[in-house]
Amino acid sequence: MTISKIPKLPKTKYSVDNDPPPPKTVCIGVSLITKEVHHIIQDDRHIEIPVDDEVVYLTVNYDVVNLPCGGASYDIIADILDTQGYPRRLWQIMSVWIPVENDLANEIF
């Protein structure tokens, strides 16, 4: 019986145990609502309802939506939206999310 020496593989930058590097840019969805609201009294309670809402999709740097605290930088996103025709004085950000593929969403839910 002979024992052959297994050749060493070259070192790779990332191993199987580590996560792959994050992408440089990522697509996000942003839910916007108007600052202007309708006022309604229902069951003796005052309710404010935004006049309009809209969903906008953007491509931003990965660091903008993955801060060390785990959230997204709404200020940077608001500045980007302001340059694309959604003035800060009229709109405010309600939520930000990263869309996922249907296959992945079905696994999660």
Side-chain angles (χ1 to χ4, degrees), residues 1-6:
M1 171 162 85
T2 59
I3 299 174
S4 62
K5 198 173 186 182
I6 299 174

Side-chain angles (χ1 to χ4, degrees), residues 18-30:
N18 294 337
D19 291 333
K24 294 189 185 294
T25 60
V26 66
C27 176
I28 61 170
V30 182

Side-chain angles (χ1 to χ4, degrees), residues 30-67:
V30 182
S31 206
L32 298 172
I33 58 172
T34 55
K35 290 186 177 181
E36 182 184 356
V37 294
H38 288 298
H39 300 277
I40 298 172
I41 304 294
Q42 182 177 7
D43 298 331
D44 295 328
R45 289 183 290 167
H46 180 257
I47 301 171
E48 293 181 351
I49 301 173
V51 172
D52 194 12
D53 64 341
E54 191 164 339
V55 174
V56 179
Y57 293 95
L58 301 169
T59 300
V60 297
N61 289 336
Y62 181 81
D63 298 335
V64 172
V65 293
N66 288 295
L67 298 176

